[in-house]
Every structure is written in C-alpha cells, then in structure tokens.
Amino acid sequence: MSATAGVSARPLPLAHFLKKPGERSLLRVSTAGSVDDGKSTLIGRLLHDTRSVYEDQLDAVRKSPVNRAGGALDLSLLTDGLRAEREQGITIDVAYRHFSTPRRTFILADTPGHEQYTPNMATGASTADVAVILVDARKGLLEQSRRHAFIAALLGVRELIVAVNKMDLVGYSREVFERIAADLRALEPKMRGARLSFVPVSALEGDNVVERSARMPWYEGPPLLEQLEQAEPERETVAAPFRFPVQYVIRPEDGFRGFAGRIVSGRIRPGDPVVELPSGRRTRVARIVTFDGDLEEAAAPMSVTLVLEDEIDVSRGSMLAAAAAPPQFSRRMEAHTVWMSAELLDPGRTYLLRHGPHEVQARALAVRHAVDITTLGPRPASTLGWSEIGLVLWETARPLAFDLYTEVRDNGAFIVIDPQTNRTIAAGMIEAAAEDPYAARRASPQPFRASRLTPAERALRSGHTGALILADVHSAAAQGLERRLFEHGADVVLLERPVAPLEPLLAAGLLVIAPRSSVCAGFPVLALPPQEQESESEALVEAAMAELQNQGILTDRDQFNAGEGI
Amino acid sequence: MDLADGSSLSHLRWLEAESIHILREGAAQFARPVLLYSIGKDSSVLLHLARKAFYPAPLPFPLLHIDTTYEYPEILEFRDWYARQIGARLVVYSNQQAVRQGANPYDLGTARCCQLLRTQALVQALREGGYDAAFGGARRDEERSRAKERVFSLRDRNGHWDPKTQRPELWSIYNGRVDPGESMRIFPLSNWTEADVWRYIELENIPVVPLYFARPREVVNRNGTLILLESGVRLLPGEEPERVMCRLRTLGCTPCSGAIRSEADTVAKIIAELREFRRSERENRVIDHDQDGSMELKKREGYF
C-alpha cells in the first residue's frame, strides 16, 4: 500500500451518493404523549395499517396473555417490547420502529410519556425531523403534553404534529378538538419557531391515522400518515459552513495520514481552505479518501477521510472547519440543559462534557434560570433536578469549537457525563458563546497567516494591539470612548451589532467596541461597565483608557520612537 | 440531510455514513474492541462497513466467531476464505467445557443449549480475550426488545444487560465510558432493516454464504420447520427426508435453523421475495420462541 492508496483514475462525483429521482426519502419521527393517551396503540396502528407488521408478530400479539384493548387485537403490544412494559402496560424506554409507504421510509422513536422518563423523550427528539405529540381528547392539554412539545421544539424539531387521540370517546366532537388546538396554539410563541399542526384521530378505531375518517367530516385536513409523508423539514446542514470533527487518525505504516470523521455540516472539495482548531492553523484539503475511491466533493452527513496539504498536528477531538467561516471557539457557553440525574446539578463539581468526539472536563458556573413547564417561561433557580430544563453557563477546561444549536444542530450539542458513575446525566444545546475571560492569556491564534505583516509591526504604527471592548454601544460612554481613541490616533471601530467572526478585525490590529454578546478567541477582551447616568460617561472613558494602557494594549508610540527608531 | 440543490444522500448511503461513524467511535473509545463475525448477512455487511471505516489502513480489531460446533460446513469454509481474502485477523471460540459434556439441543432443549454454546461462549470469549467492546450486527427491526437497545449498550461485569439503566443516547454522541470489568456492545446497524441489508449487499456486491440462495436441498419437516440434513442433523424416529427447493433466511445452528421454500437464487430475487414476505425473518429460528420475551431474557444474560 502506498501513500497514494486508493487514488482512482477519476474522482467519484457527489451524485454517486445521492438519492435517485423517485427513490423514497427518510423521515425520522419521534412520538410523545402522557400516560395512557394511547401512543403505543397509535404506533401499532401505523405499523399495522401500513402493512409493516409480519403475520407471526401479529400472532405473537394475539397469543399474548395480556390484552388491554378490550378488542380483538391489542396493537400497543407490537411496540411495548420489554416484559415489564407489557405487564405494567406502560412504555419504559425509547423504542425505534421502522415502517414505510411508497413515498417514504420512517424511523420512529417511540418515547415514554411519564414525567420520570423525560430524558428518553429528549433522546427520541434529538434525532427527529418531526414530532407527533399525543393528547388525550378526554383530558385536554396536560402538563406532560406541553412539556413534550416544548422539549421537542427545544431539541430543534421544526414540525410538531399534534394528534388529538381517543376522539371515539368524546363522540368525535369538533368542539373538543378545537378547544385543545386553541390551548396549544396559545403556547406557539414559546415553541421556538416550530410549526404546529393538528389532527383528530382514534388510534384504536383507526380514524384519520392512515385512512381519512368518515366520522369526522368537519375535519378537512389530511390524516396523520399523509401529514408525515408531506412534511418537508428544513435541514440546513449542508448550507451551513463546513464542520468536520476528527474522530480517528488513519495511519497505516506507509506515510499515509488521513483524518476520519463525519461531515457535520457544509460541503468540501479538494483545494478548499480549512482551519484546524484548537491550533488555528490553516491549510487546504488535498484529498477526500474513501474505500470507493477519491471523491471530487463530499457533503454532510457523509463519513469520509481527509488528507491535508500541510503536516499539521491533528488528533481525535480536533475540528477542521471552513477557514472563511470558523466556528465559535470558547471555554464558556450558555446552553439549555436537560438534567437527567436524580442528583442535583452541583456547581462545585467537575463533570465531563462530550462534544462530538471531544471530551473535556467542565463545570456549571451558574444556572441562569430554569424553565417553568407550566408557563414555559423562565423562573429563578440555582440548580437543576431530575427532568428539569434550564439555561446553564458552562465552562470547559479547554476551549470548544462549536456553533449555536439553532445553526448547526450537531455542532451545538453536547452531553454531560458523571465521571464517578460514567452515566450520561445531561444534554446541552448551546444558545450563546459567553465571554471567555481566559481568551487574552492564550497565544494569538494563527488563522490569518497569509498576511506577511506581523502584529508587532501593526502595533508600532497604530500604537496599540487588537482588542475587543464590550459595551452598550448606544451609551454615551461607548461613543465617547470611540472618539477619545480616535483622537488618540488609534484605529477604532464601533459595531452596532455583534459581528462574527471578529478575529480578522482584531488580527488587523483594530480596537473593536462591540455589543456585549460579542465573542472572540485569542485577543484581549475588556468590558466597559454599564453606564447608570449621563454624567458618568467621562469618568468611564478615562477609566477605560487607563485600563487599556495598564494591560499594554495602548502603547506609547513615543517610547518606540525614542528607542531604536525602526 | 438535504443538499443545497434539494437532493439528498440516498437512504443506503445515509445508513452507511452513520454506521461508519459508529464503528470509528467504537474503535477510538475502546482499547480492545472486537467485531463479532457470525458470517451471516448482517455481519457480512458490518465487516464491509468496517473495512470502509478504516481504509486504507487494515482493520484495527480482530474478528471473533463463536463456533457453537453446530455450524454449517459452508459457513466455516466461507469464514476462513473471506478472512484470508481481506487480510483480517480471525479468532474462533467455542465453549469447550460444554462441548466436551456433549451439549446438544435434543437432550438439553434449545434454550439451555443456546445458553451454553452461544451466550456463555460469548461472555467467556470476551472475558478471556480481554475485549472491552464488541461490535455486533444486530438491528432494531429484528425483535421487540432489540428495538429498545442503544447503539452503545452497556454490559455489567457478568456480561448482563439491564434495560432499565440504559444511558440516554442523544444525537450521535456515544458515551463509551466503562469501569474495569464492564464492557460495551456496539450496534452500528441499529437503524438498518432486513431489506436495507440486502439492498446494500446488492449495491456493494458483498459476498455472502451460499446457504442464502435457493437450490434443491435435502430437508426434514420438523414441526413445520424445514431443517437441512446436509450438515449431519440426525433424523428423529419417524421422520422422512424430502428434497425441497429452499434457502435459509437467517443462519443459526444446524438443528435449529429453518429453511424457507424459495426460488430466489440471486440477491435481486431475494430482494423481490422480501417484498412479498408476510412473516418475519426470526420466525424460522426455533430459539427465539422458547418462551414469551425469550430474546429479552437471552440479552439480559449476555446474548447478542
């Protein structure tokens, strides 16, 4: 085997891996509901009516000593797989089911409805495109349904289909259906932009599950299965910038050195510039290697092996990213956190945080708030308990290269592991990068090495190094500081809105005054204290100037001129 | 998953990418992983995916075959040929003590025999080999309790599975942390169906054991199950052999695997036949029906 192993005469085009016209597409669905609202029966009905159940499996259900349906066939037994579940008539764990129609294949995650099984609910939703929320028509909208809808939305499911079940037990009443729909509609603003739709069904009788029901002529929408077939979830993974967490270094004994991983977002071609994090070094992709031959292009979510043009230090946990649009790079991040342990979140403890292949020690610095599951609004909290959700400020021992969860789902997600028990105790979805107080101490990153000007040269001319000053940009103090620096001869800009990435501006030696939510890696960060009164602004400006000099950001040009006079 | 121009990865390529990701996670997170190679269609696909995952390097782990000593000769022949062909390291293990004591399904019953020759053999092989992770070709669509299993599935010090203490498994982040003595079973084919496996075998031209293809074979009809006689299965009193055009849908031990009547002698015909099936693939395995929830019980004890 040589270093050029597997180079095919002509690289394979991307089309080799794509869906052919007319080929069925895949939809991942999760279901959620409260105790006894008939979720397993509904899934059994979907499997049964799409002919996805084999005769011998039906025979096993017929022969089962348990039958809770009262009718000929207890369809819930098709999915409740564990003995304890069949005996207790509840669903304990996430079950994954397959079924297909001529249009689509479905992988359905059936998740339990009890409060204590919320972690499983989050597990099912984490990979779903669409969530089916079950509501019992007799009981109306319960806290569990609200919680499940919210968790699904929080986990990034863009389409929520609310199936109002057991319509047979409320006389197929339009009023009942519409009241429940209105109750949930009222919560739509809290659903983070997820779309809600509603369908009245009877899983037991089969109304509006696969076939349109004649018993609810007032319902004009499509039955549940048709809604699932038509759902077109937004998937922005390929449009997002290139992200490639390195899983494994492939190094046979012949000088070949490839970095194996799965493309989390974006696409890549040989020759594309990439940046390696944490080092910040830039290089280009030389080859995209696969068992089938080299590729001329690859895209999310393919698993490939990249060979780089330069020998740079890359190992498991490294991130290769589009050089023009690198990810956030910080030790601190605010994340919606689903707590899955009976032990309370302990801000004093060191946990393990796993972000893709990158595992790192982490602490919860603060709980910003917990989510009140009744109002779905924030409520004050200092810790989180079993099944609770909150916004938590996490700090990691080494910086993470991440995106916001809403932008690149798989690069904005992490799990938290208890190092004592090895259990997965929390799931996090990154909402924002937080200011990294350690950023200034790290060596300046080198993502901008194409330039032949050094930071020292720039500092000599401008009299300062690049730095980020966080401020309320519309305050008199921020604007006063901009003018003061300008008059001092500094290269200063004031940004109205957060701009990312800021690093190119800072590497060019600019002093950047920017909104407080701005982030950067590898440059000094100062925060201008909030201005309480108009009269304070001058004092704040002077204090900031002194601090900039203190930290060696503002240098005295005369000092250099008086010296060797370059 | 959609590309900017509205197209998307084909379903099989999507499954392939996910499985390769899982195989690499397993290889990276464990010191001594092993791939359970039963020589069946699922583990043939699994092995093919493993070759893809680490290409151009050789497989970073050995293959482990649990030889129950009730194996079809074609399986052993295929196993040795294919391992040599791809340059894989092959480890074969049998529960020697049980074999010496003459374990067989006729005297012990299928449940007890399976427990000794498969489950216990596997647990022993993993312990003696010091393997901390084992890749298996199990799929969630096979059986109800499998549908509940994680991709990374923890086994305690006795190799047992506890469905109630499974770790939540979100996104594609796999928690492979184990204490000494514990181990992980890893299922890269979790999201595949039987049809996906055959379509992928066709797409990738993966060699499989000839027992899967129909031809006339000597069989005996035992309680409705067609048992192949060519591998030395003994006839019970009163049984008459017959010659039937048939094939195996799943591979197991010679006395406990039923053939199905079939004309499908190519992969394409098998795929066409699958669409007509109204009965599940495990139906022809005597061992899965010993008792209610029997797969779950076997799994709890350490069976795949």
Side-chain angles (χ1 to χ4, degrees), chain B residues 148-214:
Chain B
K148 305 251 162 179
E149 190 146 14
R150 302 290 188 258
V151 172
F152 271 44
S153 185
L154 185 70
R155 294 294 185 279
D156 67 16
R157 284 179 177 73
N158 302 312
H160 293 181
W161 178 58
D162 182 358
K164 282 194 177 169
T165 60
Q166 297 198 89
R167 296 171 179 172
E169 194 169 73
L170 293 98
W171 301 288
S172 48
I173 309 178
Y174 303 106
N175 174 359
R177 297 184 65 88
V178 293
D179 279 334
E182 293 176 341
S183 64
M184 200 65 84
R185 304 283 168 87
I186 302 175
F187 303 111
L189 305 185
S190 286
N191 286 324
W192 295 58
T193 64
E194 186 186 10
D196 294 329
V197 164
W198 279 112
R199 282 199 296 259
Y200 190 71
I201 286 170
E202 183 182 46
L203 179 73
E204 294 280 307
N205 240 322
I206 302 169
V208 290
V209 179
L211 288 164
Y212 283 117
F213 301 109

Side-chain angles (χ1 to χ4, degrees), chain A residues 179-227:
Chain A
R179 193 170 57 242
I180 290 170
D183 285 352
L184 252 168
R185 282 253 181 255
L187 293 171
E188 206 167 5
K190 308 280 188 187
M191 293 300 168
R192 304 172 67 85
R195 281 182 302 277
L196 281 174
S197 58
F198 300 86
V199 54
V201 303
S202 164
L204 198 65
E205 303 289 331
D207 296 279
N208 283 338
V209 179
V210 172
E211 303 293 336
R212 186 179 296 274
S213 168
R215 287 182 277 212
M216 289 175 273
W218 46 265
Y219 173 72
E220 286 165 4
L224 177 61
L225 183 66
E226 204 176 313
Q227 292 202 24

